[in-house]
Amino acid sequence: MTTSERYAQHVLPTYGRFSLVPVRGAGVRLWDDAGKCYLDFCMGIAVCSLGHCHPKLVAAVRHQAGELMHVSNLYQNPLQAELAQEINEHHVRIPGKVFFSNSGAEANDGLIKAARRFGLKRPQPDGSQRFEVITFLQSFHGRTLGALAATGQAKIQEGFDPLLPGFRHLPFNNIEALENSIRPETVAILLEPIQGEGGVNCATPEFLRAVAEVCRKHDLLLFFDEVQAGFGRCGDAMSWRRIAEEIEPDGISWAKGMGGGVPIGSFWLSDRAVSDDGTTLSSLLGVGSHGSTYGGNPLVCAASLAVLIEIRERDLAANSLRQESRIRETVRLWNLPVITEVRGQGLLLGIALNPELIPTPEGKTPALVVVNQLMERGLIVPPAGPNTFRLLPPLNVTDAEIDEALETIHAVLCEFH
Ligand SMILES: *Cc1c(COP(=O)(O)O)cnc(C)c1O
Protein backbone atom coordinates (compact mmCIF):
# COMPACT_ATOMS: atom_id res chain seq x y z
CA MET A 1 0.00 0.00 0.00
CA THR A 2 1.42 3.40 -0.95
CA THR A 3 1.22 6.42 1.32
CA SER A 4 -1.45 8.03 -0.86
CA GLU A 5 -3.50 4.83 -0.86
CA ARG A 6 -3.30 4.74 2.94
CA TYR A 7 -4.38 8.38 3.05
CA ALA A 8 -7.33 7.68 0.76
CA GLN A 9 -8.47 4.82 2.92
CA HIS A 10 -7.76 6.09 6.42
CA VAL A 11 -7.34 9.90 6.66
CA LEU A 12 -10.13 12.45 6.30
CA PRO A 13 -9.65 14.25 3.00
CA THR A 14 -9.59 17.78 4.48
CA TYR A 15 -6.29 18.85 2.88
CA GLY A 16 -5.37 19.30 -0.75
CA ARG A 17 -1.89 17.80 -0.50
CA PHE A 18 1.02 18.00 -2.90
CA SER A 19 2.47 14.59 -3.77
CA LEU A 20 5.79 15.54 -2.08
CA VAL A 21 6.85 13.23 0.79
CA PRO A 22 9.45 15.02 2.93
CA VAL A 23 11.44 12.66 5.12
CA ARG A 24 14.40 14.65 6.47
CA GLY A 25 15.39 18.26 7.03
CA ALA A 26 18.48 20.23 8.04
CA GLY A 27 18.48 24.03 8.18
CA VAL A 28 16.87 25.36 5.02
CA ARG A 29 17.19 21.99 3.19
CA LEU A 30 14.52 19.32 2.94
CA TRP A 31 14.81 15.85 1.37
CA ASP A 32 11.97 13.79 -0.07
CA ASP A 33 11.55 10.00 -0.01
CA ALA A 34 13.37 9.69 -3.34
CA GLY A 35 16.41 11.55 -1.99
CA LYS A 36 15.75 14.77 -3.90
CA CYS A 37 16.95 17.87 -2.04
CA TYR A 38 14.88 21.05 -1.86
CA LEU A 39 15.38 24.57 -0.59
CA ASP A 40 12.45 24.98 1.81
CA PHE A 41 10.97 28.49 1.82
CA CYS A 42 7.69 27.26 3.29
CA MET A 43 9.09 26.01 6.59
CA GLY A 44 5.86 24.37 7.65
CA ILE A 45 4.09 27.67 6.94
CA ALA A 46 6.33 29.96 8.98
CA VAL A 47 6.65 27.43 11.79
CA CYS A 48 10.29 26.32 11.67
CA SER A 49 11.75 29.75 12.43
CA LEU A 50 15.25 28.35 12.98
CA GLY A 51 15.12 25.98 10.00
CA HIS A 52 14.75 22.22 10.20
CA CYS A 53 16.28 20.41 13.17
CA HIS A 54 18.29 23.34 14.54
CA PRO A 55 20.90 21.85 16.91
CA LYS A 56 19.81 23.99 19.88
CA LEU A 57 16.14 23.11 19.42
CA VAL A 58 16.95 19.42 18.95
CA ALA A 59 19.13 19.46 22.07
CA ALA A 60 16.42 21.18 24.13
CA VAL A 61 13.75 18.67 23.03
CA ARG A 62 16.05 15.65 23.54
CA HIS A 63 17.05 16.81 26.99
CA GLN A 64 13.53 17.63 28.15
CA ALA A 65 12.06 14.44 26.66
CA GLY A 66 14.38 12.45 28.91
CA GLU A 67 13.73 14.66 31.94
CA LEU A 68 9.96 15.30 32.09
CA MET A 69 7.56 15.70 29.18
CA HIS A 70 4.25 16.43 30.76
CA VAL A 71 2.68 17.38 34.02
CA SER A 72 -0.77 18.81 34.40
CA ASN A 73 -1.38 22.51 34.84
CA LEU A 74 -2.51 21.43 38.29
CA TYR A 75 1.18 21.80 39.23
CA GLN A 76 4.00 24.34 38.87
CA ASN A 77 6.09 24.18 35.72
CA PRO A 78 9.29 26.27 35.92
CA LEU A 79 9.81 26.20 32.13
CA GLN A 80 6.33 27.61 31.53
CA ALA A 81 6.94 30.48 33.95
CA GLU A 82 10.36 31.13 32.39
CA LEU A 83 8.92 31.14 28.86
CA ALA A 84 6.21 33.61 29.89
CA GLN A 85 8.89 35.86 31.39
CA GLU A 86 10.99 35.63 28.20
CA ILE A 87 7.95 36.63 26.11
CA ASN A 88 6.96 39.51 28.38
CA GLU A 89 10.36 41.03 29.06
CA HIS A 90 12.07 40.57 25.72
CA HIS A 91 9.43 40.27 23.00
CA VAL A 92 6.25 42.11 24.06
CA ARG A 93 7.84 44.54 26.53
CA ILE A 94 4.47 45.71 27.87
CA PRO A 95 3.31 44.51 31.31
CA GLY A 96 0.91 41.60 30.85
CA LYS A 97 0.35 37.87 31.31
CA VAL A 98 0.46 34.82 29.05
CA PHE A 99 -1.70 31.71 28.66
CA PHE A 100 -0.32 28.72 26.75
CA SER A 101 -2.42 26.84 24.19
CA ASN A 102 -1.51 24.30 21.52
CA SER A 103 -2.35 26.21 18.36
CA GLY A 104 -3.15 29.59 16.88
CA ALA A 105 -6.89 28.98 16.65
CA GLU A 106 -7.02 28.10 20.34
CA ALA A 107 -5.03 31.23 21.16
CA ASN A 108 -7.60 33.34 19.32
CA ASP A 109 -10.42 31.52 21.11
CA GLY A 110 -8.77 32.63 24.35
CA LEU A 111 -8.80 36.27 23.22
CA ILE A 112 -12.48 35.96 22.28
CA LYS A 113 -13.26 34.60 25.75
CA ALA A 114 -11.31 37.48 27.33
CA ALA A 115 -13.34 39.96 25.25
CA ARG A 116 -16.59 38.51 26.56
CA ARG A 117 -15.41 38.76 30.15
CA PHE A 118 -14.43 42.37 29.50
CA GLY A 119 -17.88 43.00 28.01
CA LEU A 120 -19.41 41.78 31.25
CA LYS A 121 -17.12 43.96 33.37
CA ARG A 122 -17.80 47.02 31.20
CA PRO A 123 -21.32 46.49 29.81
CA GLN A 124 -23.58 48.53 27.53
CA PRO A 125 -25.31 51.62 28.99
CA ASP A 126 -28.43 49.51 29.68
CA GLY A 127 -26.37 47.04 31.71
CA SER A 128 -26.36 44.20 29.18
CA GLN A 129 -23.12 42.51 28.22
CA ARG A 130 -21.04 43.70 25.26
CA PHE A 131 -19.86 40.76 23.17
CA GLU A 132 -19.28 41.66 19.54
CA VAL A 133 -15.76 41.32 18.11
CA ILE A 134 -14.98 43.14 14.87
CA THR A 135 -12.59 41.41 12.47
CA PHE A 136 -11.72 42.00 8.81
CA LEU A 137 -12.34 40.54 5.38
CA GLN A 138 -9.61 38.21 4.05
CA SER A 139 -8.43 37.59 7.61
CA PHE A 140 -7.54 34.13 8.87
CA HIS A 141 -7.82 33.33 12.57
CA GLY A 142 -8.09 29.53 12.57
CA ARG A 143 -10.56 26.64 12.31
CA THR A 144 -12.11 26.08 15.74
CA LEU A 145 -15.73 27.21 15.92
CA GLY A 146 -14.66 30.46 17.61
CA ALA A 147 -11.70 31.29 15.37
CA LEU A 148 -13.73 30.22 12.33
CA ALA A 149 -16.47 32.72 13.15
CA ALA A 150 -13.78 35.41 13.52
CA THR A 151 -12.24 34.56 10.14
CA GLY A 152 -13.37 36.89 7.36
CA GLN A 153 -13.48 34.38 4.49
CA ALA A 154 -16.79 32.89 3.37
CA LYS A 155 -15.16 29.83 1.77
CA ILE A 156 -13.71 28.75 5.14
CA GLN A 157 -17.08 29.14 6.90
CA GLU A 158 -19.17 27.46 4.19
CA GLY A 159 -21.49 24.73 5.46
CA PHE A 160 -20.79 25.21 9.16
CA ASP A 161 -23.83 27.26 10.17
CA PRO A 162 -24.94 28.27 12.67
CA LEU A 163 -21.64 30.01 13.35
CA LEU A 164 -20.79 31.36 16.78
CA PRO A 165 -22.61 34.72 16.92
CA GLY A 166 -20.97 38.00 17.85
CA PHE A 167 -18.65 38.74 14.93
CA ARG A 168 -18.75 41.28 12.14
CA HIS A 169 -16.25 41.53 9.28
CA LEU A 170 -15.24 44.92 7.91
CA PRO A 171 -13.12 45.80 4.87
CA PHE A 172 -9.41 45.86 5.75
CA ASN A 173 -7.55 49.18 5.60
CA ASN A 174 -10.81 51.11 5.25
CA ILE A 175 -10.87 53.83 7.92
CA GLU A 176 -14.25 55.25 6.96
CA ALA A 177 -16.04 51.88 7.20
CA LEU A 178 -14.41 51.35 10.59
CA GLU A 179 -15.41 54.67 12.11
CA ASN A 180 -19.10 54.18 11.32
CA SER A 181 -19.26 50.59 12.43
CA ILE A 182 -19.19 50.58 16.23
CA ARG A 183 -22.42 49.40 17.91
CA PRO A 184 -23.40 49.37 21.60
CA GLU A 185 -22.61 45.62 21.82
CA THR A 186 -19.14 45.96 20.23
CA VAL A 187 -16.37 45.06 22.68
CA ALA A 188 -13.17 44.35 20.73
CA ILE A 189 -11.34 44.56 17.41
CA LEU A 190 -9.15 41.63 16.35
CA LEU A 191 -6.80 41.89 13.38
CA GLU A 192 -3.65 40.55 11.79
CA PRO A 193 -1.31 43.54 11.33
CA ILE A 194 -0.14 41.59 8.28
CA GLN A 195 -2.74 39.20 6.86
CA GLY A 196 -0.89 36.00 5.97
CA GLU A 197 -3.27 33.38 4.54
CA GLY A 198 -5.44 36.11 2.99
CA GLY A 199 -2.70 37.00 0.50
CA VAL A 200 -0.07 38.93 2.54
CA ASN A 201 -1.80 42.27 3.05
CA CYS A 202 -0.21 44.82 5.41
CA ALA A 203 -2.28 47.18 7.49
CA THR A 204 -1.32 50.74 6.68
CA PRO A 205 0.04 52.84 9.57
CA GLU A 206 -2.94 55.19 9.19
CA PHE A 207 -5.38 52.30 9.44
CA LEU A 208 -3.67 50.70 12.44
CA ARG A 209 -3.62 54.06 14.24
CA ALA A 210 -7.29 54.62 13.38
CA VAL A 211 -8.15 51.19 14.82
CA ALA A 212 -6.28 52.02 18.03
CA GLU A 213 -8.04 55.39 18.24
CA VAL A 214 -11.50 53.86 17.70
CA CYS A 215 -10.71 51.33 20.45
CA ARG A 216 -9.72 54.10 22.84
CA LYS A 217 -12.74 56.24 22.00
CA HIS A 218 -15.30 53.42 22.31
CA ASP A 219 -13.66 51.47 25.16
CA LEU A 220 -12.91 48.45 22.95
CA LEU A 221 -10.13 45.93 23.39
CA LEU A 222 -7.47 45.94 20.69
CA PHE A 223 -6.23 42.44 19.79
CA PHE A 224 -3.43 41.58 17.38
CA ASP A 225 -3.25 38.12 15.83
CA GLU A 226 0.51 37.63 15.49
CA VAL A 227 0.19 33.87 14.95
CA GLN A 228 2.07 33.95 11.64
CA ALA A 229 3.83 37.34 11.82
CA GLY A 230 5.18 37.40 15.38
CA PHE A 231 8.55 36.67 16.97
CA GLY A 232 10.97 38.18 14.49
CA ARG A 233 9.43 37.05 11.22
CA CYS A 234 8.51 40.56 10.09
CA GLY A 235 11.74 42.32 11.00
CA ASP A 236 10.80 43.23 14.57
CA ALA A 237 9.86 41.10 17.57
CA MET A 238 6.21 41.88 16.75
CA SER A 239 4.85 42.78 13.34
CA TRP A 240 2.64 45.68 14.44
CA ARG A 241 5.74 47.52 15.72
CA ARG A 242 7.03 47.91 12.19
CA ILE A 243 3.74 49.49 11.17
CA ALA A 244 2.97 51.75 14.14
CA GLU A 245 5.51 51.22 16.89
CA GLU A 246 3.77 53.26 19.59
CA ILE A 247 0.56 51.20 19.70
CA GLU A 248 -0.01 49.12 22.84
CA PRO A 249 -2.52 46.32 22.22
CA ASP A 250 -4.68 44.77 24.95
CA GLY A 251 -4.22 41.22 23.73
CA ILE A 252 -1.98 39.25 21.36
CA SER A 253 -2.12 35.71 20.00
CA TRP A 254 0.80 33.60 18.72
CA ALA A 255 1.61 30.11 17.55
CA LYS A 256 3.47 28.97 14.40
CA GLY A 257 7.05 30.29 14.72
CA MET A 258 7.18 30.40 18.52
CA GLY A 259 7.75 26.66 18.82
CA GLY A 260 10.01 26.12 15.82
CA GLY A 261 8.07 22.91 15.06
CA VAL A 262 6.58 21.75 18.34
CA PRO A 263 2.86 22.47 18.75
CA ILE A 264 2.54 25.50 21.01
CA GLY A 265 0.44 28.64 20.89
CA SER A 266 -0.31 31.35 23.38
CA PHE A 267 -2.21 34.51 24.07
CA TRP A 268 -1.28 37.51 26.13
CA LEU A 269 -3.42 40.00 28.02
CA SER A 270 -2.31 43.41 29.21
CA ASP A 271 -1.99 44.27 32.89
CA ARG A 272 -3.72 47.62 32.31
CA ALA A 273 -6.52 48.56 34.69
CA VAL A 274 -10.04 48.16 33.33
CA SER A 275 -12.00 49.61 36.25
CA ASP A 276 -11.61 52.21 38.97
CA ASP A 277 -11.02 49.55 41.62
CA GLY A 278 -7.77 48.69 39.80
CA THR A 279 -8.96 45.38 38.29
CA THR A 280 -6.61 44.51 35.44
CA LEU A 281 -7.56 43.07 32.07
CA SER A 282 -5.24 40.12 32.68
CA SER A 283 -7.11 39.25 35.88
CA LEU A 284 -10.48 38.80 34.09
CA LEU A 285 -9.60 35.23 33.18
CA GLY A 286 -9.23 34.00 36.74
CA VAL A 287 -8.95 30.54 38.30
CA GLY A 288 -11.17 28.02 36.50
CA SER A 289 -12.06 30.33 33.59
CA HIS A 290 -9.85 28.71 30.96
CA GLY A 291 -7.58 25.73 30.56
CA SER A 292 -5.86 23.18 28.35
CA THR A 293 -4.56 19.75 29.31
CA TYR A 294 -1.45 19.91 27.13
CA GLY A 295 -1.11 23.71 27.16
CA GLY A 296 2.47 24.79 27.85
CA ASN A 297 3.77 21.43 29.04
CA PRO A 298 7.49 21.09 29.93
CA LEU A 299 8.42 19.60 26.54
CA VAL A 300 6.96 22.36 24.36
CA CYS A 301 8.05 25.12 26.72
CA ALA A 302 11.66 23.89 26.68
CA ALA A 303 11.52 23.91 22.87
CA SER A 304 9.91 27.32 22.61
CA LEU A 305 12.39 28.81 25.10
CA ALA A 306 15.28 27.55 22.98
CA VAL A 307 13.69 29.11 19.89
CA LEU A 308 12.87 32.50 21.41
CA ILE A 309 16.26 32.84 23.10
CA GLU A 310 18.02 32.05 19.81
CA ILE A 311 15.86 34.61 17.95
CA ARG A 312 16.70 37.24 20.56
CA GLU A 313 20.41 36.51 21.07
CA ARG A 314 21.18 36.32 17.35
CA ASP A 315 18.90 39.24 16.58
CA LEU A 316 17.22 37.22 13.85
CA ALA A 317 14.60 39.95 13.42
CA ALA A 318 17.42 42.10 12.04
CA ASN A 319 18.31 39.35 9.57
CA SER A 320 14.64 39.22 8.47
CA LEU A 321 14.73 42.92 7.83
CA ARG A 322 18.00 42.77 5.90
CA GLN A 323 16.92 39.84 3.76
CA GLU A 324 13.65 41.61 2.98
CA SER A 325 15.49 44.54 1.46
CA ARG A 326 17.84 42.24 -0.48
CA ILE A 327 14.84 40.37 -1.91
CA ARG A 328 12.95 43.55 -2.76
CA GLU A 329 15.99 45.05 -4.46
CA THR A 330 16.66 41.95 -6.58
CA VAL A 331 13.01 41.59 -7.64
CA ARG A 332 12.90 45.28 -8.54
CA LEU A 333 15.95 44.92 -10.77
CA TRP A 334 14.41 41.94 -12.60
CA ASN A 335 11.59 44.19 -13.71
CA LEU A 336 9.45 41.19 -14.75
CA PRO A 337 5.92 41.97 -16.00
CA VAL A 338 4.56 38.78 -14.38
CA ILE A 339 5.35 40.15 -10.90
CA THR A 340 2.87 42.87 -10.03
CA GLU A 341 3.98 43.53 -6.48
CA VAL A 342 6.01 42.35 -3.50
CA ARG A 343 3.88 42.64 -0.36
CA GLY A 344 4.60 42.03 3.29
CA GLN A 345 7.43 42.64 5.71
CA GLY A 346 10.61 40.90 6.76
CA LEU A 347 10.43 37.23 5.83
CA LEU A 348 6.66 37.14 5.45
CA LEU A 349 6.62 38.23 1.83
CA GLY A 350 4.07 37.69 -0.90
CA ILE A 351 5.07 37.78 -4.55
CA ALA A 352 1.94 38.84 -6.42
CA LEU A 353 1.53 37.53 -9.97
CA ASN A 354 -0.26 38.90 -13.00
CA PRO A 355 -2.85 36.15 -13.65
CA GLU A 356 -3.21 37.19 -17.29
CA LEU A 357 0.34 36.08 -18.03
CA ILE A 358 -0.02 32.63 -16.48
CA PRO A 359 -1.91 29.94 -18.41
CA THR A 360 -3.86 27.83 -15.91
CA PRO A 361 -5.26 24.34 -16.42
CA GLU A 362 -8.79 23.68 -15.13
CA GLY A 363 -9.05 23.95 -11.36
CA LYS A 364 -5.56 25.43 -10.81
CA THR A 365 -4.82 28.98 -9.74
CA PRO A 366 -1.90 30.97 -11.19
CA ALA A 367 -0.19 30.74 -7.78
CA LEU A 368 -0.46 26.92 -7.81
CA VAL A 369 0.95 26.70 -11.34
CA VAL A 370 4.01 28.69 -10.25
CA VAL A 371 4.36 26.89 -6.91
CA ASN A 372 4.41 23.52 -8.73
CA GLN A 373 7.04 24.68 -11.21
CA LEU A 374 9.21 26.02 -8.40
CA MET A 375 8.92 22.71 -6.59
CA GLU A 376 9.93 20.89 -9.75
CA ARG A 377 13.11 22.98 -9.73
CA GLY A 378 13.79 22.34 -6.06
CA LEU A 379 12.23 25.32 -4.27
CA ILE A 380 9.30 24.86 -1.90
CA VAL A 381 7.01 27.84 -1.30
CA PRO A 382 3.35 28.05 -0.19
CA PRO A 383 0.64 29.92 -2.08
CA ALA A 384 -1.36 32.73 -0.44
CA GLY A 385 -4.64 33.24 -2.24
CA PRO A 386 -5.06 32.62 -6.01
CA ASN A 387 -2.43 35.02 -7.39
CA THR A 388 0.30 35.22 -4.76
CA PHE A 389 2.99 32.91 -3.43
CA ARG A 390 4.79 33.42 -0.15
CA LEU A 391 8.44 33.40 0.83
CA LEU A 392 8.74 32.08 4.38
CA PRO A 393 12.37 31.03 4.84
CA PRO A 394 13.77 30.46 8.33
CA LEU A 395 14.77 33.64 10.17
CA ASN A 396 18.45 32.61 10.13
CA VAL A 397 18.52 32.16 6.33
CA THR A 398 21.82 33.23 4.76
CA ASP A 399 22.52 35.57 1.83
CA ALA A 400 23.61 32.63 -0.31
CA GLU A 401 20.40 30.69 0.40
CA ILE A 402 18.24 33.71 -0.45
CA ASP A 403 20.21 34.23 -3.67
CA GLU A 404 19.78 30.58 -4.62
CA ALA A 405 15.99 30.78 -4.12
CA LEU A 406 15.79 34.02 -6.07
CA GLU A 407 17.68 32.46 -9.00
CA THR A 408 15.15 29.63 -9.16
CA ILE A 409 12.22 32.05 -8.96
CA HIS A 410 13.75 34.16 -11.71
CA ALA A 411 14.29 31.16 -13.96
CA VAL A 412 10.65 30.04 -13.55
CA LEU A 413 9.02 33.46 -13.83
CA CYS A 414 11.06 34.47 -16.90
CA GLU A 415 8.97 31.96 -18.85
CA PHE A 416 5.78 34.01 -18.37
CA HIS A 417 5.55 37.11 -20.52
C1 LIG B 1 -2.18 29.82 11.00
C2 LIG B 1 -2.91 30.95 11.58
C3 LIG B 1 -3.89 30.77 12.58
C4 LIG B 1 -4.34 29.41 13.05
O1 LIG B 1 -3.32 28.72 13.66
P1 LIG B 1 -3.49 27.13 13.91
O2 LIG B 1 -2.26 26.79 14.71
O3 LIG B 1 -3.54 26.48 12.57
O4 LIG B 1 -4.74 26.94 14.66
C5 LIG B 1 -4.47 31.90 13.15
N1 LIG B 1 -4.12 33.13 12.75
C6 LIG B 1 -3.19 33.34 11.79
C7 LIG B 1 -2.82 34.74 11.43
C8 LIG B 1 -2.56 32.27 11.16
O5 LIG B 1 -1.67 32.49 10.20
Side-chain angles (χ1 to χ4, degrees), residues 49-387:
S49 15
L50 305 182
H52 295 294
C53 303
H54 188 279
K56 286 193 180 158
L57 175 55
V58 171
V61 170
R62 284 211 169 113
H63 172 78
Q64 195 57 42
E67 205 66 31
L68 183 66
M69 282 194 237
H70 181 83
V71 288
S72 164
N73 282 306
L74 289 170
Y75 312 106
Q76 314 267 326
N77 168 359
L79 289 161
Q80 191 182 103
E82 212 182 310
L83 177 59
Q85 183 179 9
E86 168 74 23
I87 291 171
N88 279 326
E89 291 183 354
H90 297 294
H91 302 267
V92 179
R93 305 189 308 268
I94 304 168
K97 291 182 177 57
V98 179
F99 177 93
F100 291 100
S101 64
N102 313 286
S103 68
E106 283 174 79
N108 285 326
D109 280 356
L111 290 181
I112 294 162
K113 285 177 75 172
R116 292 191 172 186
R117 279 283 167 103
F118 178 72
L120 210 54
K121 184 81 186 166
R122 297 177 75 96
Q124 302 181 37
D126 70 1
S128 58
Q129 179 183 13
R130 293 190 295 158
F131 57 85
E132 184 189 61
V133 178
I134 287 178
T135 64
F136 296 90
L137 296 172
Q138 276 89 53
S139 63
F140 182 77
H141 298 296
R143 305 277 193 160
T144 59
L145 286 168
L148 176 74
T151 292
Q153 299 186 50
K155 68 166 201 254
I156 285 173
Q157 300 176 331
E158 205 180 287
F160 296 119
D161 285 338
L163 294 179
L164 182 71
F167 294 89
R168 198 147 42 91
H169 308 118
L170 299 181
F172 196 53
N173 276 336
N174 184 328
I175 295 175
E176 206 176 82
L178 172 74
E179 279 170 347
N180 300 319
S181 70
I182 307 308
R183 298 176 181 165
E185 65 267 27
T186 309
V187 74
I189 299 180
L190 166 66
L191 81 160
E192 300 159 83
I194 302 178
Q195 294 184 333
E197 302 303 309
V200 190
N201 311 305
C202 290
T204 63
E206 301 74 43
F207 180 67
L208 215 55
R209 291 190 175 110
V211 170
E213 179 53 27
V214 162
C215 286
R216 201 196 52 75
K217 191 166 139 203
H218 295 275
D219 191 28
L220 313 177
L221 297 179
L222 173 58
F223 292 156
F224 288 147
D225 178 340
E226 292 265 349
V227 168
Q228 184 160 164
F231 292 115
R233 175 139 307 266
C234 292
D236 198 317
M238 295 300 140
S239 76
W240 90 79
R241 289 221 163 94
R242 269 200 71 200
I243 301 171
E245 192 183 18
E246 75 285 1
I247 294 178
E248 297 209 343
D250 297 303
I252 315 170
S253 55
W254 303 283
K256 295 200 166 83
M258 75 178 285
V262 302
I264 181 170
S266 62
F267 70 94
W268 172 97
L269 292 173
S270 165
D271 279 341
R272 84 167 165 91
V274 292
S275 70
D276 295 339
D277 65 11
T279 305
T280 62
L281 178 62
S282 56
S283 72
L284 295 184
L285 287 182
V287 173
S289 64
H290 198 47
S292 164
T293 297
Y294 289 134
N297 80 15
L299 186 70
V300 297
C301 286
S304 183
L305 255 178
V307 171
L308 297 191
I309 290 172
E310 180 74 3
I311 289 174
R312 166 165 61 83
E313 287 185 344
R314 306 261 160 167
D315 198 2
L316 296 183
N319 189 51
S320 290
L321 197 60
R322 204 170 62 79
Q323 299 300 353
E324 174 194 348
S325 51
R326 294 183 70 250
I327 293 167
R328 284 185 179 279
E329 180 60 12
T330 303
V331 172
R332 194 181 62 80
L333 291 173
W334 290 345
N335 200 19
L336 287 176
V338 70
I339 298 180
T340 56
E341 204 182 1
V342 177
R343 290 193 298 268
Q345 288 189 335
L347 293 173
L348 201 185
L349 293 177
I351 311 272
L353 302 163
N354 180 348
E356 278 160 27
L357 296 182
I358 302 175
T360 47
E362 186 76 42
K364 282 235 164 82
T365 61
L368 266 177
V369 167
V370 169
V371 163
N372 278 305
Q373 292 197 15
L374 290 170
M375 195 184 290
E376 191 86 359
R377 297 204 194 207
L379 176 67
I380 300 177
V381 295
N387 300 322

